[in-house]
């Protein structure tokens, strides 16, 4: 957890019980006036929907839907290992916000825009590399990194993973991480102007970059 101006920024893992507990603790201790979530309206509706989301081969009709579906499937399987559904920390924050009459703000870029950008930016080379990496990971046994899925990964590991994505899939990194960080930082800049105590809940992989963007923008205005 880090602070910047009136923002309390919590980097989470979407399948870690540690993140759920941290959300509960911070809301109880800090009593924020606003809770800002790394969600857009479509993902928000999907998260709070009581309908079960099923993986379907029919959904794999384009590069962006393949990435999204595979990512969701992997996250779901990992969540099953620790007995928690993906996004539980977000769902917990939503319920507590409603219970305590705290304003909710969705700060992520609309997923339709993200997918459209991804479809235009991802290269054929990156698609082949993505498929190759999946197949090779299934065939060849690599040295496994032990990760406690119940906790948020260490900063060092998160940075290593992000750098690997940036190196092997530069356009995927650009669209799914860098551009979204810029978008979310812009939304948070508007929340800073309100001056209200705001709890920001974002994936741990976005935390440092967003804070750096906010600090950089703040210095430019001086």
């Amino acid at each position: 957890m880090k602070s910047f101006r009136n923002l309390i920024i919590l980097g989470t893992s979407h399948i870690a019980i540690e993140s759920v507990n941290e959300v509960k603790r911070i809301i109880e201790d800090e009593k924020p006036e606003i809770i800002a979530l790394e969600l857009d309206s479509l993902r928000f509706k999907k998260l709070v929907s009581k309908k079960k989301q099923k993986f379907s081969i029919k959904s794999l009709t384009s590069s962006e839907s393949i990435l999204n579906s595979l990512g969701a499937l992997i996250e779901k399987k990992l969540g099953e290992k620790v007995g928690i559904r993906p996004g539980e920390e977000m769902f917990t924050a939503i319920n507590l916000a409603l219970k305590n009459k705290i304003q909710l703000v969705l700060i992520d870029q609309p997923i339709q825009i993200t997918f459209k950008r991804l479809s235009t930016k991802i290269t054929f080379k990156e698609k082949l590399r993505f498929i190759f990496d999946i197949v090779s990971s299934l065939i060849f046994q690599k040295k496994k990194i032990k990760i406690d899925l119940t906790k948020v990964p260490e900063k060092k590991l998160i940075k290593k993973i992000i750098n690997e994505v940036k190196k092997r899939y530069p356009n995927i990194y650009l669209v799914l991480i860098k551009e979204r960080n810029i978008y979310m930082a812009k939304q948070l800049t508007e929340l800073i102007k309100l001056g209200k105590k705001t709890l920001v809940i974002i994936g741990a992989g976005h935390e440092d970059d967003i804070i750096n963007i906010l600090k950089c923008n703040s210095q430019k205005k001086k």
Side-chain angles (χ1 to χ4, degrees):
M1 183 182 75
K2 295 184 179 180
S3 297
F4 182 78
R5 301 289 181 85
N6 54 306
L7 306 181
I8 301 168
I9 302 173
L10 177 65
T12 69
S13 165
H14 301 316
I15 58 167
I17 189 64
E18 179 186 41
S19 292
V20 176
N21 292 334
E22 273 292 277
V23 166
K24 291 177 180 177
R25 182 188 66 78
I26 293 172
I27 291 175
E28 183 178 347
D29 292 349
E30 298 292 340
K31 295 178 173 52
E33 298 172 85
I34 298 173
I35 296 178
L37 302 175
E38 182 203 329
L39 292 173
D40 67 319
S41 59
L42 196 63
R43 286 162 58 212
F44 175 86
K45 290 175 183 177
K46 186 177 179 181
L47 183 63
V48 299
S49 173
K50 294 182 179 180
K51 294 181 180 179
K52 289 186 178 181
Q53 304 296 326
K54 295 182 179 180
F55 175 78
S56 173
I57 297 298
K58 292 180 180 179
S59 67
L60 306 184
T61 56
S62 61
S63 301
E64 63 269 23
S65 61
I66 289 173
L67 286 171
N68 182 57
S69 297
L70 285 175
L73 181 62
I74 291 168
E75 204 170 53
K76 181 176 182 291
K77 292 300 180 183
L78 290 174
E80 288 173 355
K81 287 182 178 292
V82 293
I84 192 171
R85 69 170 182 168
E88 187 65 31
E89 89 283 19
M90 299 283 182
F91 188 72
T92 298
I94 292 167
N95 281 336
L96 288 175
L98 294 173
K99 179 182 177 181
N100 296 291
K101 297 181 180 179
I102 302 171
Q103 181 183 352
L104 275 173
V105 177
L106 309 180
I107 62 170
D108 204 356
Q109 178 172 265
I111 198 167
Q112 302 94 323
I113 294 176
T114 302
F115 279 175
K116 187 176 181 180
R117 288 282 300 152
L118 190 59
S119 66
T120 59
K121 295 296 291 185
I122 189 171
T123 63
F124 182 69
K125 183 179 180 180
E126 284 178 296
K127 293 176 186 177
L128 288 179
R129 185 172 286 166
F130 184 72
I131 295 170
F132 173 79
D133 284 349
I134 291 176
V135 174
S136 63
S137 67
L138 295 174
I139 297 175
F140 303 107
Q141 290 292 326
K142 295 181 180 180
K143 186 179 179 181
K144 295 182 178 179
I145 301 173
K146 291 185 178 181
I147 301 176
D148 185 350
L149 296 176
T150 65
K151 297 181 179 180
V152 180
E154 293 181 4
K155 290 285 185 183
K156 187 176 180 180
L157 177 58
I158 292 172
K159 189 173 181 179
K160 182 179 179 181
I161 293 171
I162 290 176
N163 285 337
E164 186 66 21
V165 172
K166 187 177 182 179
K167 180 181 176 182
R168 292 192 63 76
Y169 313 107
N171 288 296
I172 291 176
Y173 166 82
L174 172 68
V175 175
L176 296 186
I177 300 177
K178 186 175 181 179
E179 290 183 352
R180 287 176 59 223
N181 285 346
I182 293 171
Y183 183 95
M184 287 190 280
K186 186 177 180 180
Q187 308 309 306
L188 293 177
T189 298
E190 296 303 311
L191 291 177
I192 289 173
K193 293 176 184 178
L194 297 178
K196 295 181 179 180
K197 183 185 284 190
T198 301
L199 171 60
V200 182
I201 302 174
I202 53 177
H206 297 284
E207 184 182 9
D208 285 346
D209 196 23
I210 286 178
I211 290 174
N212 287 336
I213 294 171
L214 290 172
K215 288 180 178 179
C216 183
N217 291 343
S218 178
Q219 289 173 357
K220 285 179 181 179
K221 292 179 180 179
K222 290 181 179 180

